Amino acid sequence: MTFLLTLLAAIFVLGPLIALHEWGHYIVARMCGVKVLTYSIGFGPKLFGWTSKKSGIDYRISALPLGGYVKMLDEREGNVAKDEQHLAFNYQHPLKKIAIVAAGPIMNFIIAIALFWVLFMTPSEQLATKIGQVLPDTPAAMAQLPVGDKIVAIDGHDVQTWEGINYRLAGRMGETDNVSITLQSDAQTNQSIKTYQAPVTQFMQGDAQGKDALTSFGMLPWQPQIAPIVGELAPDGAASRQGLQVGDRITAINNQNIDDWISATRIIRDNPEVLLDFTVLRDDKTVQLQIMPQGKKDNLGNNYGQIGAMVDQTEIVIPDAYKTTVVYGPGESLVKSFEKTEQLAVMTVSSMGKMLSGMIGLDNLSGPITIAKVAKQSFDISWQMVLSTAALISLSLAVLNLLPIPVLDGGHIVYHFIELIRGKPLSEGVQMVGLNIGLLLLAGFMVLAIGNDISRLF
């Protein structure tokens, strides 16, 4: 059932993005006077579809749901009657060819902007960007960032939400440098502004790989103070098997004092398959236990520890000082959606460059299995998360397709620019060599991405 739901979630999110990408090619081709023969969602054998009586276009859903295509009249793919040569793609001016090829990725950019626009216009109550905790032995601790101050900018870029902070920090992945953090000590005035320099070394790599950007950097939002008292135990969990009992109060883990549940959870999550020394208070007596967290994997394949212990459900009240309502008007939301799209596109390209240069590992590359799992998880959270996930995937599709690899849209655009400059297209031989190289590169990336996906499952 989980597999089926994951598949349906992936189809629901990816299907419209692929369909609209291909529709971009399709509609611009028709506007440019090129005859379209087939509009297909998916590759391979036709599952079902119909042929338009008016235009003769074959609209179809095909068996392999790994993309789609728009087939146009083209002498390179078959004979073209002399009276239809003006309708063939290969007879068009290079600028028309560029417009048709670029329309798909541009449509994905438009989708991302539109979805971000809807999300920015949706009022939401969020945690204020005040620092709730600074973790020891982290860049935030080395910079001596004060708890309670409000984060207003990262590296000179204004931030209003913890999501924005997380993206700005994630953009520094793999780098060794200083991160500028601008803080406001009094949320009511703009007079107490100070910028701190936090040193990072191979940020989010090494021992910090797998941790989110905020935890790696060491500054966290406000979190509730929940007493570290065990309220429930999973029968098959490590805690139950190794002696922890309901009602026990965890006072230390590996000689590190524990005064709230979240601190205990963080240590447990960061130490999968590591034997930890627990000190607990039971009936006013101190008890020493050794518990090894079971190793688990999240959707991105990151390892984390779990012992199967939970607290009793308690009502959490967020202090007013740590709450804020984020709301933007239509105009401001549109501006912010463009800004966010640009930021994430630049970050995506930068991450690809860092992988190729070795600054970050190739294991950060994700494939269709991870995308499907993330899509399913978004449905479990909220409709806003579904739209956000769709926007991020659409943006990734746009950037990926614009890479100058011959088999992708970006590679074809390069060919047509060369044709525009030379006054004639590259020879078929040169184009085929480029196509074969592109196919090998793309196949290599796909094998690596799917390999990463599979490794994350086990």
Side-chain angles (χ1 to χ4, degrees), residues 10-25 39-43 64-70 104 107-108 111 393-394 397 401:
I11 292 172
F12 186 87
V13 172
L14 281 172
L17 300 181
I18 293 170
L20 288 169
H21 174 98
E22 299 305 331
W23 185 81
H25 294 308
Y39 174 93
S40 176
I41 306 304
F43 295 100
L64 299 176
L66 297 175
Y69 64 92
V70 174
M107 180 58 64
N108 283 126
I111 293 166
I393 294 174
S394 186
L397 288 173
N401 273 285

Side-chain angles (χ1 to χ4, degrees), residues 114-233:
L115 293 176
F116 285 140
W117 182 55
V118 171
L119 291 170
F120 275 119
M121 283 197 299
T122 305
S124 62
E125 187 172 81
Q126 301 187 23
L127 287 173
T129 57
K130 285 187 174 184
I131 300 175
Q133 184 180 1
V134 172
L135 302 179
D137 302 320
T138 61
M142 286 187 280
Q144 299 183 335
L145 301 184
V147 172
D149 278 14
K150 182 180 180 182
I151 305 164
V152 295
I154 304 289
D155 290 328
H157 299 281
D158 292 345
V159 289
Q160 290 87 29
T161 64
W162 281 101
E163 180 192 45
I165 294 169
N166 188 65
Y167 278 133
R168 288 294 175 191
L169 291 177
R172 303 297 299 272
M173 182 187 296
E175 297 182 18
T176 298
D177 201 353
N178 285 328
V179 178
S180 297
I181 310 294
T182 303
L183 303 180
Q184 182 177 300
S185 61
D186 182 359
Q188 303 302 318
T189 71
N190 293 319
Q191 297 177 357
S192 303
I193 301 289
K194 184 176 180 180
T195 297
Y196 296 78
Q197 300 298 322
V200 295
T201 303
Q202 294 182 321
F203 185 51
M204 297 178 69
Q205 301 300 294
D207 292 340
Q209 188 163 356
K211 296 181 181 179
D212 63 89
L214 294 175
T215 303
S216 297
F217 193 77
M219 60 181 186
L220 302 176
W222 176 88
Q223 294 175 324
Q225 287 292 117
I226 301 173
I229 299 173
V230 178
E232 185 180 348
L233 289 168

Side-chain angles (χ1 to χ4, degrees), residues 289-426:
L289 300 171
Q290 286 191 316
I291 303 175
M292 180 182 290
Q294 295 168 286
K296 304 287 185 178
K297 287 194 174 187
D298 62 17
N299 280 336
L300 297 178
N302 301 315
N303 292 315
Y304 67 93
Q306 187 178 80
I307 64 172
M310 289 73 73
V311 293
D312 287 326
Q313 294 291 331
T314 57
E315 183 180 358
I316 296 173
V317 179
I318 303 174
D320 290 340
Y322 284 91
K323 290 191 295 187
T324 184
T325 299
V326 178
V327 58
Y328 305 105
E332 190 178 8
S333 294
L334 186 60
V335 171
K336 287 191 170 295
S337 65
F338 272 96
E339 291 175 347
K340 185 169 183 175
T341 301
E342 178 192 12
Q343 176 199 346
L344 295 179
V346 171
M347 189 173 78
T348 301
V349 174
S350 174
S351 296
M352 291 177 181
K354 289 176 181 178
M355 278 191 276
L356 293 175
S357 66
M359 286 182 66
I360 63 177
L362 292 173
D363 53 357
N364 287 280
L365 194 65
S366 297
I369 298 174
T370 298
I371 291 172
K373 292 176 70 177
V374 171
K376 165 63 169 59
Q377 188 179 46
S378 71
F379 277 90
D380 295 336
I381 299 174
S382 66
W383 67 267
Q384 291 97 329
M385 186 58 68
V386 173
L387 294 189
S388 180
T389 299
L392 292 172
I393 294 174
S394 186
L395 182 58
S396 297
L397 288 173
V399 174
L400 176 65
N401 273 285
L402 285 176
L403 293 178
I405 298 175
V407 72
L408 299 175
D409 292 334
H412 291 297
I413 291 172
V414 171
Y415 279 167
H416 300 321
F417 263 120
I418 293 174
E419 179 185 350
L420 181 65
I421 294 169
R422 294 177 76 232
K424 61 179 180 179
L426 291 170

